[in-house]
Amino acid sequence: MNMEFTEGDVLLLVDIQNDFCPGGNLPIEKGDEIIPFLNPIIKKASAVGIPVFLSRDFHPRLHPSFKENGGKWPVHCIQDTEGARFHPDLNIPDNAEIVSKGTRFDKDQYSAFDDTGLGDLFKKLKIKRVFVAGLALDVCVKETAVDSVKLGFKTYVLKQGTRPVSKRSGEQALNQMKELGIEII
Ligand code: VGL
Ligand code: ZN
């Protein structure tokens, strides 16, 4: 993929954490394969001063998304555990900004924009275009991209930089996003 960053762009990497990669507690098939694709893009963004934001799923033990607390997911991304750490192969710039989500006791937050203040910050930073990648395509990447376009940002999803929980819902997610004007590149 040959993309050029310009002023007003941001790279938003969603939940590239150990628990979402093979060997983790909520593993996404080949989730780690996005990393060698994304590292050069991160490098390119940093080199030209494009901000890099990384969201992380960062749950307390009593989080409502866990089966044992009435939710649908296995326990994952518990705050300050190995599973919640970013994958060690991901090259994170020193000045990357971290967005923690999924920290609330009353609801889950799939989207990095959901009650994090990120949308207002992007407006303050005069962000025009948001480039989204990460895990999982059909869950947090989709919800993040949908919020992004609804907030008025031109929104792109890097197809090779994401993987779905399931192939079928991954295809559905891509179609839904396209219908909302999100560009899949
Ligand atoms: C996610 C399931 C549960 C994700 C987070 O980051 O896509 N999926 N929590
Ligand atoms: Zn979660």
Side-chain angles (χ1 to χ4, degrees):
M1 192 190 36
N2 200 13
M3 51 177 289
E4 289 299 326
F5 287 115
T6 56
E7 212 179 312
D9 290 351
V10 69
L11 183 58
L12 177 53
L13 303 176
V14 176
D15 303 2
I16 308 176
Q17 295 164 271
N18 289 326
D19 268 345
F20 295 125
C21 291
N25 287 321
L26 209 174
I28 288 144
E29 200 183 321
K30 302 181 176 171
D32 55 339
E33 287 186 4
I34 66 174
I35 296 168
F37 170 76
L38 290 172
N39 276 338
I41 295 174
I42 295 170
K43 193 173 175 184
K44 194 165 161 181
S46 294
V48 293
I50 297 305
V52 178
F53 281 69
L54 297 107
S55 74
R56 62 176 178 183
D57 216 29
F58 211 57
H59 297 315
R61 280 175 205 282
L62 294 178
H63 193 258
S65 78
F66 300 155
K67 280 177 196 153
E68 60 194 45
N69 303 322
K72 60 184 279 195
W73 302 108
V75 170
H76 63 279
C77 296
I78 296 283
Q79 293 169 8
D80 299 318
T81 63
E82 195 56 33
R85 276 188 238 296
F86 294 111
H87 191 286
D89 295 344
L90 189 67
N91 291 151
I92 303 174
D94 289 341
N95 61 352
E97 203 70 60
I98 312 295
V99 186
S100 299
K101 61 180 185 62
T103 56
R104 298 178 59 124
F105 293 106
D106 56 346
K107 64 164 190 175
D108 204 355
Q109 294 151 287
Y110 286 157
S111 162
F113 292 98
D114 186 2
D115 274 342
T116 60
L118 188 62
D120 285 345
L121 178 68
F122 280 3
K123 288 190 175 155
K124 200 165 128 188
L125 295 174
K126 300 202 157 55
I127 297 299
K128 299 281 180 278
R129 304 197 301 174
V130 180
F131 292 82
V132 186
L135 303 169
L137 170 62
D138 41 353
V139 189
C140 290
V141 169
K142 180 184 81 175
E143 295 303 328
T144 297
V146 166
D147 276 352
S148 174
V149 81
K150 285 185 176 166
L151 286 163
F153 304 112
K154 180 81 194 142
T155 303
Y156 301 82
V157 169
L158 311 183
K159 199 175 176 189
Q160 296 172 82
T162 182
R163 290 289 184 282
V165 173
S166 87
K167 192 162 187 264
R168 208 180 110 83
S169 69
E171 292 300 330
Q172 286 171 347
L174 289 172
N175 287 330
Q176 262 177 282
M177 290 191 289
K178 281 180 207 159
E179 275 170 27
L180 292 171
I182 295 162
E183 293 212 31
I184 313 299
I185 59 174

